[in-house]
Amino acid sequence: MVEKIILSPSLLSADFGRLEEELLALEEAGLQWVHWDVMDGIFVPNITFGPPVIKKLRSRSKLFFDVHLMIDKPERYFETFVDAGADLLCFHVESCLHLERAVSQVKDLGVQVGLALNPATPLSSIEYLLPQLDLVLIMSVNPGFGGQKFIPFTKQKISQLVKMLQEVQATCYVQVDGGVTPSNVKELALLGANVFVSGSAFFGYPPYAERYQVFLDAVQRN
Ligand code: DX5
Ligand code: ZN
């Protein structure tokens, strides 16, 4: 039996022309989290949306805004994203030189903080910071685009992260992002992941309430 999981649908695969309706539809379908993929065209080869879009939609949604920053030197914008309404700010270890300072800055702004690692980035880079984190995001594709294939070796990183958390007696969400589908979600949950980002495998299969149930059932299936 797997613990309860959180599904955080990635708006990257939603209809950008109807974001307000998409957020409402998620809420009506029973989702609690939504994943905002913020891309700057420098840290990743794609550009999406930024604080003004999040801010405009904040007042129209009660969902937990899980904001994944794929931007260079993210510390320049922490305050702006918190002001826009982020509930959790997750940024990449590869994008930021003074990690401890940056993590503290986010915490001081009063929101949850997460660190994301690209597939090839070792977990050792965040070992000392684990007790301070609310979430670790294991990227299971190279960031930039939705609809990519899950990279198998990242499963090992999930197990290793769970072990490291036990060793330092820290608890935080273990989030997996990229190529997550109803076919692999149970395996990932058994390894110890508990927050799943899904873009193409979620938004491509409406109605959302049914699709959400497919993910939940997949995790509990024997
Ligand atoms: C990739 C993003 C992911 C992505 C997930 O850069 O961080 O959130 O949108 O999309 P799928 O589920 O389609 O791989
Ligand atoms: Zn993401």
Side-chain angles (χ1 to χ4, degrees), residues 6 33 64-67 78 82 86-91 102-103 105-115 132-135 172-173 195:
I6 293 170
W33 284 38
F64 182 85
F65 279 12
D66 160 26
V67 177
F78 289 157
V82 170
D87 292 300
L88 179 144
L89 274 188
C90 182
F91 58 97
V103 165
Q105 278 169 352
V106 175
K107 293 200 87 141
D108 289 347
L109 290 167
V111 297
Q112 295 190 35
V113 62
L115 282 176
Q132 287 168 248
L133 302 178
D134 298 292
L135 178 146
C172 72
Y173 290 121
V195 182

Side-chain angles (χ1 to χ4, degrees), residues 93 99 115 117 122-130 133 136 161:
V93 302
L99 270 191
L115 282 176
L117 296 108
L123 284 162
S124 53
S125 58
I126 59 164
E127 191 175 356
Y128 292 107
L129 292 173
L130 288 177
L133 302 178
V136 175
L161 170 61

Side-chain angles (χ1 to χ4, degrees), residues 35 37 68 70 137 139 177 197:
H35 187 82
D37 281 311
H68 178 191
M70 285 162 276
L137 193 174
M139 283 303 306
D177 185 2
V197 177

